[in-house]
Amino acid sequence: MSVSEQPRGPKLTAWLYQKLFHNYVWRSIFRSGYPNTPRNQMLAIATNVFLHLHPTRLHKTHVKITHTYCLGGLTFFFFLSLTVTGVMLMFYYVPSPERAFSDVAALETNIRFGMLMRNLHRWMAHGMVISVFLHMMRVFYTGSYKPPREFNWLVGVILLTLTLALSFTGYLLPWDQLSIWAVTVGMNMAGTVPLMGQQTQFILLGGFEVGDDALIRFYTLHVIGLPLLAAIFMAVHFWRIRRDGGLARPL
Amino acid sequence: MAVDAKAVTGTSSSLRPRREREQELLVWPDLVFIEFIAAVVFTLAFVILSTVIDAPLLNEANLDITPNPSKAAWYLVSLQELLLHMHPALGGVIAPTFALIILAVIPYADRSNDGQGIWFGTPNAVKITLFSAAFASIFTVGMILYDQGRHVNVVTNIVQHADKDWQWPGYLAPFQNVRAIQTGWTWSVPVPEAAQLGPGEHDGALHWPEDFDHIPMPFNGTSGPDWMRWGPPDFLPGWLQALYWYDLNLNLPAFIVENFIPVVVMVGLPALLIVTMRKMGWVHTVRDGSIAIFTGMMVVYFILTIIGAGFRGAGQDLVLPWDVPHID
Ligand code: HEM
């Protein structure tokens, strides 16, 4: 590390800085010094597994809020928060028709912050559906699907479908009148498709109507199958943004 | 390791804007901080929202008690709304599947780089968006009102002031709603005796709808001369049996109402929209056309969602939002 990159200042702060951010333990975790020089700022991004989804620099139009309105990022934020609150809910929820409803009801009465977790999970799920739609609209109206980003738009359409599927499968889990009938309405639509509708419906429900087998299927899809798929496609989505040269801007 | 990006990706590397280092910012702090603040703001907002409004929990699930109306989740309510106006397979699955496919192929149809990376980057983009939105809203709302058929009562009431015995004439039934084409519309065409096909009593005319609701499909094995009649195809594997239209008869009035007219509307109106804007000199490129289609799809989805969630009461009747029954 060159001397010119040390912050200037009185001796005491320099010493403190050295002790705090250049010590052996800090270096073992973060590799780079405190991000107060361009070099360290880039290293902070590039050497951190979470932050390195980002490039180290980006064009200045892309940090303008009105270019993206943060909508893709917001969708991702909702996904992460839903994972956290969802795991919390899983501690208390048993996907069986005998227990599902009372477990959800108990969140309200017996479990500290249970209702808060359930509400957060619910409202953020709605938030994610809305933000993924808005994100798609911003990508469309800024013409950001144009070459070379065609494939990433396609990945996006898959993510949109996965988001809706996640929300739909989650809808059944509280096992109240709202869930069971919403899912019945939805599944009846699938059942009317010529040739394969009946089979699709049977496979998804594990029977002819929404019952115990449907609950365990929806639960499994909701807590592990679909989130894994969504995470994989998000990884591809973000990777492709970088590969396609960052966000779109006029040629 | 040196792979020529151009060789791998064809043309794509030439499509990239030049990198202008002097226009670039560092992600730390300029982007990371925005993300951090956005995350804090939205976390706080949702924590507040969640302490104020509780997620609904109705009575325990019971398939023996059907709530009226029973509705899908709000983002699927638009499809449920379509079901009221067309065949369930068409409205619930086929149309949305096509919508997703159209979404997916947009970038493969619109391959130019014009107007990339800025809001409404082509000359007519804003005009096209607004016009398509208006067009889609007017037609969607108009068709839903038409299909609900309230105007029949209104018109009947008004005309009955003048003529007490007036009834909506049968030959105008298609103006009541779509379904009336199948159920309320009666007409007949005279048919000479010699032209009669098949057995059955001959009354000298073909009557709509009852003479049209049982038209045998060709080679359905149960109609026509003797040599075209055979038994059920039990020897075929199950999936082939499902594919073969054995003993299938077409209900033409129902087919027209549930499938034909909706498809004509869903294909025809977007086509009309684009042709109109071409005539007006607004639509020149594929990009212009895709703006019209995309806007139309989003607006239709939005309006169907609003109507399905806010204006459908018991029996999926069209009512005002405060008349939608509260389910618990
Ligand atoms: C779970 C869903 C999704 C997540 C988490 C997500 C995330 C993101 C993020 C973080 C960005 C960076 C720029 C921004 O924030 O706008 C982005 C860009 C992009 N997204 Fe998504 N997205 C999702 C769904 C979609 C959908 C539904 C589409 C389109 C159908 C789409 C198409 C794109 C494209 C083409 C870009 C590149 C935009 C550009 O170059 O300016 N994404 N996405």
Side-chain angles (χ1 to χ4, degrees), chain A residues 68 70-73 75-76 128 132 135-136 138-139 144-145 149 152-153 156-157 159-160 163 234 237-238 241 246-248:
Chain A
T68 64
C70 299
L71 286 164
T75 313
F76 187 51
M128 183 168 170
V132 74
H135 169 60
M136 177 173 75
R138 105 80 187 141
V139 171
S144 302
Y145 57 82
R149 296 179 181 76
N152 218 14
W153 171 270
V157 175
L159 281 171
L160 171 75
T163 307
M234 281 181 206
H237 199 59
F238 300 155
I241 296 174
L247 299 193

Side-chain angles (χ1 to χ4, degrees), chain A residues 41 54-58 60 66-67 118-119 123 126 141-142 145 147 153 167 175-177 243 249 251, chain B residues 15-16 18 21 25 27 35 50 54-56 58-59 61-62 65 75 103 110 113 117 119-120 287 295:
Chain A
Q41 286 170 341
H54 300 100
T56 53
R57 327 140 154 271
L58 82 175
K60 67 177 179 206
T66 52
H67 185 65
R118 170 156 187 253
N119 290 348
W123 302 137
H126 288 326
Y141 288 114
T142 55
Y145 57 82
W153 171 270
S167 187
W175 205 246
D176 66 348
Q177 281 289 73
R243 288 291 103 181
R249 66 196 167 83
L251 281 178
Chain B
L15 294 169
R16 288 191 187 170
R18 243 180 332 103
R21 292 271 173 193
L25 298 172
V27 163
E35 291 175 343
S50 299
D54 280 345
L58 310 185
N59 291 328
N62 184 347
I65 303 173
Y75 43 84
L103 269 188
D110 172 22
N113 275 84
W119 282 91
F120 302 101
R287 168 68 174 162
T295 307

Side-chain angles (χ1 to χ4, degrees), chain A:
Chain A
M1 173 156 269
S2 69
V3 184
S4 64
E5 289 201 344
Q6 299 291 334
R8 270 180 258 123
K11 253 189 161 172
L12 179 68
T13 42
W15 177 83
L16 211 65
Y17 176 85
Q18 193 71 20
K19 284 289 168 232
L20 277 174
F21 298 116
H22 287 178
N23 68 46
Y24 196 78
V25 179
W26 173 279
R27 281 308 183 95
S28 76
I29 303 171
F30 290 111
R31 301 282 175 221
S32 58
Y34 188 78
N36 55 355
T37 64
R39 178 176 177 274
N40 278 350
Q41 286 170 341
M42 288 195 272
L43 283 173
I45 299 291
T47 61
N48 183 302
V49 64
F50 305 107
L51 293 178
H52 99 287
L53 287 173
H54 300 100
T56 53
R57 327 140 154 271
L58 82 175
H59 197 269
K60 67 177 179 206
T61 52
H62 294 150
V63 294
K64 267 182 56 195
I65 304 283
T66 52
H67 185 65
T68 64
Y69 290 98
C70 299
L71 286 164
L74 202 57
T75 313
F76 187 51
F77 163 79
F78 282 135
F79 181 75
L80 294 179
S81 317
L82 284 165
T83 311
V84 173
T85 51
V87 169
M88 307 261 197
L89 294 175
M90 279 176 77
F91 286 127
Y92 297 99
Y93 175 86
V94 177
S96 80
E98 292 77 42
R99 283 199 50 187
F101 179 77
S102 54
D103 284 351
V104 174
L107 287 172
E108 192 167 352
T109 49
N110 297 357
I111 294 150
R112 190 160 312 205
F113 297 126
M115 199 58 191
L116 181 66
M117 281 305 133
R118 170 156 187 253
N119 290 348
L120 275 174
H121 198 74
R122 181 77 159 215
W123 302 137
M124 285 189 163
H126 288 326
M128 183 168 170
V129 174
I130 294 171
S131 69
V132 74
F133 266 108
L134 292 178
H135 169 60
M136 177 173 75
M137 293 173 76
R138 105 80 187 141
V139 171
F140 181 83
Y141 288 114
T142 55
S144 302
Y145 57 82
K146 286 162 174 280
R149 296 179 181 76
E150 308 94 326
F151 180 68
N152 218 14
W153 171 270
L154 203 69
V155 173
V157 175
I158 295 171
L159 281 171
L160 171 75
T161 327
L162 285 172
T163 307
L164 294 181
L166 268 166
S167 187
F168 181 68
T169 48
Y171 219 82
L172 182 63
L173 306 184
W175 205 246
D176 66 348
Q177 281 289 73
L178 195 62
S179 2
I180 199 164
W181 285 101
V183 170
T184 303
V185 169
M187 294 315 297
N188 285 347
M189 289 184 207
T192 57
V193 183
L195 303 186
M196 54 191 211
Q198 296 291 329
Q199 277 91 330
T200 316
Q201 190 184 9
F202 189 85
I203 290 170
L204 283 173
L205 292 183
F208 292 105
E209 58 178 27
V210 184
D212 358 0
D213 294 313
L215 183 55
I216 193 73
R217 279 174 201 215
F218 275 51
Y219 176 77
T220 312
L221 284 174
H222 185 75
V223 303
I224 184 75
L226 295 171
L228 261 185
L229 270 180
I232 291 170
F233 278 101
M234 281 181 206
V236 176
H237 199 59
F238 300 155
W239 166 255
R240 282 304 287 245
I241 296 174
R242 300 276 313 269
R243 288 291 103 181
D244 296 337
L247 299 193
R249 66 196 167 83
L251 281 178

Side-chain angles (χ1 to χ4, degrees), chain B residues 59-124:
Chain B
N59 291 328
E60 185 159 7
N62 184 347
L63 280 174
D64 298 328
I65 303 173
T66 315
N68 187 4
S70 41
K71 291 194 181 180
W74 64 265
Y75 43 84
L76 292 181
V77 149
S78 52
L79 306 185
Q80 206 184 352
E81 175 67 33
L82 284 186
L83 301 190
L84 299 175
H85 310 286
M86 57 189 78
H87 191 276
L90 182 62
V93 182
I94 298 171
T97 306
F98 267 95
L100 279 178
I101 292 175
I102 289 172
L103 269 188
V105 302
I106 285 176
Y108 297 90
D110 172 22
R111 298 181 187 184
S112 80
N113 275 84
D114 301 341
Q116 132 179 326
I118 20 173
W119 282 91
F120 302 101
T122 44
N124 292 332

